[in-house]
Amino acid sequence: MHPSRRPHPADRHVPVLIVGGGGSGLTASLALSDLGIESLLIERHPGTSIQPKAHILNARTMEIFGHLKVADDVYREGSPPENSGAMVWLTSLGGDEPYDRKVLYRTSAYGGGRLAERYASASAYPHANLGQRWLEPLLRRHAEERAPGGLLFHHELTALDEDEDGVTATVLDRGTGQVFRVRAAYVVAADGGKTVDRLRGIPMTGTPTFLEWINLHVRADFSPFIPYDDAVVNRVSSLSEDGTLEHCGVVPMGPRNWGRHSEEWTLMFSRPPGARGAAELDDETIVKMVRRTLKLPDDHAMDVQSVSRWPVEGTVAERFRSGRVFLVGDAAHRHPPSGALGLNTGVQDAHNLAWKLALVLDGRAGAALLDSYEAERRPVAERVVERALFSLFNQIAFTAGTGVVQGARPEWNRAQLTALFADTPDGETRRAVLREYFDTNRITTAHLGLEMGYDYADAGYVGDDRTARPRQDPLGLAYVPSARPGSRLPHAWLLRGQQRLSTHQLLSPPGSFLLLAGAGGAPWLAAAERLADARGIRIAAYAVGADGGPRDEDGAWARLNAHDPEGAVLVRPDGFVAMRWLSRCPRPADELAAALDTALARGPHTAADREGVAG
């Protein structure tokens, strides 16, 4: 597609067109509405997802949903914490062999169980568990309340033309056949790569399709076969008649009861591409395969709601921006579901982009700020894709610990699993060795450092306080909170009056910067007030520990911010640190103005401008 000089006449004009009504697109709609920016969302399907799909929402995503005022609804409609804190591996759900219906391994997962304290120290928002089949309608309800008439489902993008001043989208109403044009300044492509990537010719780089994934959405009572009530995922690895291990995920999806008493479930397994791949298997064959793998009794009822097939790859878009078009979510990065990283990363993409679009459209930021989206988010996506691939292959590796050998005689493999569960010294040794294999899976279930530890310092849109970047855990397990520029604002509890608030809950109203100064920070607050008035930028400013300011009663914030009482931290609207001053500055207005210039991609202001805000 090539830019055209003359735009087509349009039937509708909006600042931002969002293509795709999944989690990323709906997040973009919500965020833009809160920022006062009109948008139009189009989605080619008649409604939101009919598949449960992704379901684990990590703490960083829940912080964003907290900012968007939907977190309480997600927690209320999702799984209670006591039903979503572990991952369990089983040999089967049924069967009567000596090795059937055994627990291979059980571990705390995604902030639950023994991980809870570590995760709670990192964020005020615990993870949530709610499948996209139920999450997306929730987000849609909120988005439509904030943008009446701003979401058009069953509408498909068919063409996209760009010129110097904007884009013109040709949209098909799939219900009526009517075609109309939409004129927008920018486009957010949240369509999973179905349309916009193709129209723009943006290639995906990395590992192409190497597996085909099959998901079954079923209604069933699995409570007689599931031993634990707190497993967010059960993984079955059963020994088939020919002596091979077959794997199937059994994921409770609620939506009223949870854990082992869920009414609905996702059953997921993969097929290598090529010989008799997923596309060649009809639904009836797939259901038979799954029942065989789970070793369900023949008479046990299982009502299949839907079957979906999708290719598994590990790819990242070569670029996240093409002119006035920005890719988010699966349009920008695709990978296996291992580690629950896909939807979370997509939501975080949309959140990173929305405030930048808003400030550029309002003229309060330089247009170059939009270049920061790719500079900041593409490295995150690359790391996520690498981890998801490695996590998938690592989950397969535990097979070696069972003694089962691919291609060995069935008698050998049956003997190995029987010996694994034998009440003998040899069996005890085998189980101890297997636990060592399984323990490496914590890179998939306990990767708090991966979820929270990325930073944007290298992208060039935050300041530099001349401090060293904290050493990160290469496994992505440990999270090292830091107030260094580019890092996510560390969570700490503060008291404002009698109200206990997280540092992240001070980021209000939407689109505001946040200045947190020390007890001697009165000059910073005065500079922030004058600068906000002069620039038309909202800055919520507090002197922590000063009279009338929030109180850091346990000293956690002081330890995390690492500045003295006359220092300060400036935080961007997305909750990432823009600048930190470790001690007193003689001209706080100049320092704050320069930090905002960097954060907003604006050139230095003139001396006359600065005199207007100097304290």
Side-chain angles (χ1 to χ4, degrees):
M1 188 186 89
H2 302 287
S4 58
R5 291 183 178 274
R6 295 180 182 177
H8 297 290
D11 302 289
R12 186 162 178 176
H13 295 258
V14 289
V16 180
L17 173 67
I18 303 167
V19 183
S24 301
L26 291 167
T27 297
S29 175
L30 284 166
L32 289 168
S33 291
D34 284 355
L35 293 163
I37 300 298
E38 182 187 4
S39 67
L40 175 67
L41 183 151
I42 59 171
E43 164 57 51
R44 65 192 182 97
H45 291 104
T48 52
S49 175
I50 63 170
Q51 285 281 335
K53 297 171 73 172
H55 58 106
I56 296 170
L57 305 169
N58 66 32
R60 176 59 192 149
T61 293
M62 293 309 298
E63 285 176 352
I64 292 170
F65 285 164
H67 295 162
L68 298 177
K69 299 179 177 60
V70 298
D72 288 346
D73 283 354
V74 173
Y75 287 129
R76 182 166 46 251
E77 294 189 21
S79 168
E82 60 268 23
N83 295 127
S84 58
M87 185 176 286
V88 177
W89 282 260
L90 307 170
T91 59
S92 68
L93 297 190
D96 53 12
E97 296 291 344
Y99 43 77
D100 284 336
R101 302 187 70 171
K102 301 291 188 182
V103 177
L104 285 163
Y105 189 71
R106 167 186 162 84
T107 188
S108 298
Y110 302 114
R114 60 181 174 78
L115 300 173
E117 184 176 350
R118 176 152 61 95
Y119 275 64
S121 70
S123 178
Y125 293 85
H127 81 287
N129 181 34
L130 182 64
Q132 280 180 257
R133 177 182 172 89
W134 300 277
L135 173 67
E136 288 180 7
L138 184 160
L139 298 179
R140 181 180 176 179
R141 291 196 303 270
H142 282 273
E144 289 178 334
E145 287 173 2
R146 298 178 206 185
L151 283 79
L152 300 179
F153 280 72
H154 218 202
H155 286 69
E156 182 176 5
L157 177 73
T158 60
L160 195 61
D161 297 296
E162 182 173 335
D163 56 78
E164 293 179 354
D165 301 316
V167 293
T168 303
T170 303
V171 179
L172 168 68
D173 182 333
R174 300 182 70 182
T176 66
Q178 178 187 3
V179 175
F180 60 95
R181 291 191 174 95
V182 177
R183 183 72 177 162
Y186 298 103
V187 174
V188 177
D191 63 344
K194 301 296 190 303
T195 304
V196 178
D197 290 29
R198 174 174 52 79
L199 292 175
R200 281 291 184 173
I202 301 174
M204 304 294 290
T205 62
T207 304
T209 300
F210 62 95
L211 283 177
E212 292 175 295
W213 209 273
I214 303 174
N215 281 6
L216 287 77
H217 173 209
V218 307
R219 293 184 62 85
D221 178 11
F222 288 147
S223 62
F225 312 113
I226 302 291
Y228 298 108
D229 207 31
D230 61 348
V232 67
V233 175
N234 300 277
R235 295 188 180 276
V236 171
S237 297
S238 70
L239 197 64
S240 65
E241 290 183 5
D242 65 5
T244 59
L245 277 179
E246 296 180 344
H247 308 281
C248 183
V250 182
V251 184
M253 285 290 176
R256 291 182 298 277
N257 298 313
W258 288 88
R260 59 194 293 264
H261 296 286
S262 286
E263 304 94 352
E264 301 187 34
W265 302 76
T266 293
L267 308 180
M268 52 187 183
F269 68 105
S270 61
R271 300 284 294 172
R276 201 111 200 268
E280 301 175 52
L281 300 173
D282 59 54
D283 288 0
E284 183 179 355
T285 300
I286 287 172
V287 172
K288 289 179 179 178
M289 290 172 60
V290 169
R291 292 187 70 101
R292 183 191 70 210
T293 297
L294 300 180
K295 298 189 177 181
L296 280 177
D298 292 340
D299 60 351
H300 191 80
M302 188 175 77
D303 182 13
V304 180
Q305 303 291 296
S306 62
V307 178
S308 64
R309 305 156 176 84
W310 50 281
V312 178
E313 57 189 280
T315 56
V316 179
E318 193 171 83
R319 56 190 185 277
F320 281 20
R321 179 182 187 181
S322 175
R324 292 175 173 269
V325 177
F326 300 86
L327 310 185
V328 301
D330 286 352
H333 40 81
R334 301 166 203 156
H335 51 78
S338 314
L341 298 169
L343 174 61
N344 288 293
T345 306
V347 166
Q348 293 158 32
D349 290 341
H351 189 247
N352 178 281
L353 177 61
W355 71 273
K356 298 171 181 177
L357 286 171
L359 289 177
V360 169
L361 285 164
D362 285 348
R364 291 177 288 167
L369 179 61
L370 297 180
D371 292 331
S372 72
Y373 170 66
E374 177 176 324
E376 293 182 347
R377 293 303 299 172
R378 194 170 188 277
V380 175
E382 289 176 330
R383 189 178 181 205
V384 161
V385 168
E386 291 168 355
R387 172 53 63 87
L389 287 172
F390 191 77
S391 291
L392 176 65
F393 299 137
N394 186 67
Q395 289 174 22
I396 297 171
F398 88 86
T399 302
T402 65
V404 173
V405 178
Q406 188 74 20
R409 293 175 62 85
E411 296 82 3
W412 166 269
N413 286 339
R414 284 196 287 270
Q416 298 309 303
L417 273 193
T418 300
L420 178 66
F421 294 105
D423 186 16
T424 63
D426 174 65
E428 186 176 2
T429 298
R430 287 171 180 258
R431 292 189 293 275
V433 170
L434 184 61
R435 284 193 294 272
E436 295 293 321
Y437 277 89
F438 270 116
D439 194 42
T440 64
N441 192 67
R442 66 192 188 281
I443 67 167
T444 302
T445 58
H447 47 36
L448 181 60
L450 183 74
E451 297 171 21
M452 297 284 198
Y454 59 87
D455 72 61
Y456 300 144
D458 293 337
Y461 293 84
V462 299
D464 183 359
D465 67 359
R466 309 292 183 182
T467 60
R469 177 184 272 124
R471 178 175 171 79
Q472 296 297 324
D473 175 10
L475 293 178
L477 305 177
Y479 166 58
V480 183
S482 171
R484 183 177 185 268
S487 300
R488 166 188 163 273
L489 171 67
H491 156 67
W493 290 110
L494 300 175
L495 281 176
R496 189 172 64 180
Q498 298 303 310
Q499 188 178 17
R500 188 173 183 249
L501 293 170
S502 168
T503 46
H504 280 261
Q505 292 168 331
L506 297 174
L507 275 162
S508 183
S512 298
F513 282 79
L514 171 65
L515 182 74
L516 290 176
W524 287 111
L525 270 58
E529 183 178 0
R530 297 187 185 114
L531 193 58
D533 290 341
R535 300 277 188 90
I537 294 172
R538 290 173 294 196
I539 306 175
Y542 303 92
V544 180
D547 289 344
R551 304 188 303 281
D552 178 21
E553 295 210 327
D554 61 4
W557 173 240
R559 292 190 296 273
L560 291 166
N561 65 45
H563 64 65
D564 71 19
E566 294 184 291
V569 171
L570 177 67
V571 184
R572 307 186 324 187
D574 62 349
F576 280 74
V577 177
M579 189 58 200
R580 173 175 62 176
W581 297 272
L582 298 174
S583 58
R584 180 178 178 274
C585 293
R587 294 183 63 86
D590 282 357
E591 292 287 346
L592 193 54
L596 287 168
D597 285 339
T598 299
L600 298 174
R602 301 184 66 161
H605 283 240
T606 65
D609 290 332
R610 293 191 176 184
E611 285 175 6
V613 297

